[in-house]
Amino acid sequence: MMTKIAPSILSADFSRLAEEAQAAERAGADWLHVDVMDGRFVPNITMGFVVVEALKRVCGIPLDVHLMVVEPERYVERFVAAGASVVTIHAEATPHVQRALQLIRAAGAKAGLSLNPATPLDWFADVMGELDLALLMSVNPGFAGQKFIHRSFDRLRRLREMRDRLNPRTLIEVDGGVSVANAGELVEAGADVLVAGSAIFNDRASVARNLGEIRSALAH
């Protein structure tokens, strides 16, 4: 399977959000990653239903919505209705992980679960059979532009072994500090989907070049 690249709109210019999303799509992005933060689960506050609806109107690729919010089960159905193709919740944000995953699927989207860098991977095991996506955070969530946590490579390899054993159809996504320098190694370690924000949008005049460089790094 070809590795998917999901540019994170959190690093885009919000005064030109539609243009930035369309530039990423034209450049060959597979998904568009949308980080939703509530100021409680993480210290930052970002975007919500209205932004997802707007992106859906201007973008033809799937919207990969990452909920960094407490009690995500309160919101998942509304994000699917707004246009999310994939909705990922955090295991640390709810006591009802399985219920939230069921709500996502019942609403018609693919269901994902994310773990922070210090959360044991065992959290994935009991629900792997119900996951379309397992998202491994390689930075502490909350802000764009953070430095990649190197021990994430080992966590990724262990997650791949778990996935292959329990549910080979689950995609593994990595989010945080992804760049041209580490993209190839991340895929070798087990990543199926790479979320890249700063690496794609920081030089906004060259979104196509930046995404192309990551894609080229995967071919070597």
Side-chain angles (χ1 to χ4, degrees), residues 65-87:
V65 175
H66 178 191
L67 299 185
M68 286 169 269
V69 304
V70 297
E71 299 179 290
E73 59 273 12
R74 296 176 58 194
Y75 309 108
V76 294
E77 293 165 309
R78 288 185 64 188
F79 275 107
V80 177
S85 297
V86 184
V87 176

Side-chain angles (χ1 to χ4, degrees), residues 5-7 9 17-32 55-63 200-201 207-208 211 215:
I5 298 176
I9 206 72
L17 204 54
E19 296 170 50
E20 299 271 70
Q22 291 168 339
E25 181 176 7
R26 286 195 303 270
D30 300 285
W31 293 352
L32 194 67
L55 288 169
K56 183 65 175 177
R57 288 197 297 271
V58 301
C59 203
I61 55 178
L63 299 182
I200 289 176
F201 288 113
V207 168
L211 196 149
R215 186 79 74 190

Side-chain angles (χ1 to χ4, degrees), residues 67-130:
L67 299 185
M68 286 169 269
V69 304
V70 297
E71 299 179 290
E73 59 273 12
R74 296 176 58 194
Y75 309 108
V76 294
E77 293 165 309
R78 288 185 64 188
F79 275 107
V80 177
S85 297
V86 184
V87 176
T88 298
I89 64 167
H90 268 262
E92 307 90 349
T94 175
H96 306 294
V97 167
Q98 192 172 36
R99 180 187 300 166
L101 295 172
Q102 290 171 343
L103 287 172
I104 296 167
R105 287 186 143 188
K110 294 185 182 300
L113 183 68
S114 181
L115 298 185
N116 289 339
T119 301
L121 292 177
D122 290 346
W123 281 63
F124 278 128
D126 286 340
V127 295
M128 186 65 76
E130 302 170 57

Side-chain angles (χ1 to χ4, degrees), residues 5 7 27 179-180 196-217:
I5 298 176
S179 67
V180 172
S198 301
I200 289 176
F201 288 113
N202 269 10
D203 181 1
R204 295 189 168 91
S206 303
V207 168
R209 184 194 67 201
N210 297 339
L211 196 149
E213 287 178 352
I214 293 175
R215 186 79 74 190
S216 295

